[in-house]
Amino acid sequence: MVATGAVLTVVPFLDMLLTSFKGPGEFGKLPFRFLPQAFDLSNYRTALHQLNLPLLFRNSVVATVVITGSTLVTSALAGYALAKLRFPGRDLVFRLVLSTMMFPPFLFFVPHFLILVHWPGAGGNDLLGRGGAGLTVSIAALVMSFLVSGFGIFLMRQFMLSLPDDMLEAARLDGAGEFTVWWRIVLPQTKPVAVTLTLLTFVNAWNEYIWALLVSTANPRLMTLPVGIQMLQSYLDPDRMVPVMMAGLVLSVLPVLLLFLLLQKHYLRGVLLSGLK
């Protein structure tokens, strides 16, 4: 069963990789050939020529790093408060956080976009948010909707619940404030689950398409790699379109694959320790 699952997971990736080396007219030709007739690197050259790779890569990296960093910080802070601090309405706040996970993210894209359009004092807007494009023309538009993650808060809270309260109380009796307890005692012990959250957030932010497409309609200079690769369809000969797009996808997948290989051990440990199935 495990071997079957592994094959079903790996085969699509291998097909994408091998298709990226196929020459003109090979894709879609019957009978189907899994291997290319000759390994052709011209698809990668075409993808690099058609894509403004430095700009797309910069936008993707900046957005992904900011989103991942913000998610880690806000999730660790909120998770600690909901797991180890006692205050009125704590359970209600946690239920509200959980409720944000019940809705698909794209449900909020239009309200978020309108908020960015009418952001006061930005993009030519006055103090009432009128007259300009707001934050939709700045790179902040790529990250503003993803700075906090309900799932990240939930993941951190579940892990922090397992930390013994006696250790935290001992630190408080020694004069440590709440920030010191969080920074010096709690945070170092969350490394496994933090790595898990880093990988999940990084992959989701790197592959985000719908929001990046919406933002790039206001400012094409904000286009990211997934949007740019999809736009390749507009510039390519149909006989070469799919292999060149696969070459672009391979280039896009490499950073995520490298990060996962580097952090795989910590990721698996974090999933086990957080109690996720």
Side-chain angles (χ1 to χ4, degrees):
M1 183 64 70
V2 175
T4 301
V7 170
L8 292 175
T9 303
V10 172
V11 166
F13 179 79
L14 287 178
D15 183 54
M16 176 185 71
L17 180 62
L18 294 173
T19 300
S20 69
F21 292 106
K22 290 183 177 181
E26 280 193 65
F27 181 80
K29 184 179 179 181
L30 296 176
F32 174 78
R33 292 175 57 91
F34 194 68
L35 295 175
Q37 293 178 357
F39 284 83
D40 187 1
L41 294 176
S42 64
N43 295 324
Y44 287 89
R45 289 193 292 268
T46 302
L48 292 173
H49 175 72
Q50 294 290 345
L51 294 172
N52 187 353
L53 197 61
L55 176 65
L56 301 184
F57 193 78
R58 185 206 70 179
N59 290 341
S60 292
V61 168
V62 170
T64 302
V65 169
V66 172
I67 291 171
T68 304
S70 175
T71 297
L72 285 173
V73 173
T74 55
S75 297
L77 287 169
Y80 172 71
L82 294 173
K84 296 301 181 182
L85 300 183
R86 299 185 181 276
F87 56 89
R90 185 184 70 171
D91 293 339
L92 176 61
V93 172
F94 181 59
R95 290 189 178 94
L96 290 175
V97 170
L98 289 180
S99 69
T100 64
M101 300 165 55
M102 307 297 176
F103 303 97
F106 56 81
L107 188 67
F108 304 103
F109 282 176
V110 172
H112 287 173
F113 190 79
L114 293 176
I115 290 173
L116 294 177
V117 169
H118 297 291
W119 197 273
N125 282 346
D126 57 23
L127 293 179
L128 296 178
R130 299 176 300 187
L135 290 178
T136 59
V137 294
S138 71
I139 199 166
L142 289 173
V143 303
M144 289 287 285
S145 298
F146 306 99
L147 295 179
V148 180
S149 168
F151 172 76
I153 295 172
F154 166 75
L155 191 67
M156 282 291 188
R157 175 189 179 273
Q158 294 305 106
F159 181 82
M160 290 179 182
L161 283 174
S162 64
L163 301 179
D165 293 333
D166 294 342
M167 179 174 55
L168 307 185
E169 289 298 332
R172 294 187 183 106
L173 289 175
D174 287 340
E178 290 301 333
F179 181 81
T180 302
V181 172
W182 173 79
W183 178 257
R184 292 184 175 271
I185 300 176
V186 175
L187 204 57
Q189 300 186 65
T190 63
K191 181 180 177 181
V193 73
V195 171
T196 301
L197 183 58
T198 297
L199 279 171
L200 295 175
T201 306
F202 187 95
V203 172
N204 288 334
W206 186 267
N207 294 329
E208 176 56 45
Y209 174 76
I210 298 177
W211 176 255
L213 178 63
L214 180 62
V215 170
S216 64
T217 58
N219 183 3
R221 298 283 300 174
L222 298 179
M223 195 177 294
T224 58
L225 272 172
V227 178
I229 292 169
Q230 184 64 28
M231 291 297 178
L232 280 174
Q233 295 185 70
S234 306
Y235 308 104
L236 299 174
D237 181 354
D239 287 338
R240 300 192 61 192
M241 179 177 67
V242 174
V244 173
M245 288 184 63
M246 292 299 129
L249 287 173
V250 170
L251 294 174
S252 176
V253 164
L254 286 178
V256 178
L257 183 61
L258 179 62
L259 182 67
F260 178 77
L261 292 176
L262 291 174
L263 302 178
Q264 179 184 12
K265 179 177 68 175
H266 301 288
Y267 169 75
L268 295 175
R269 182 165 176 251
V271 170
L272 293 174
L273 291 177
S274 62
L276 294 180
K277 302 295 184 182

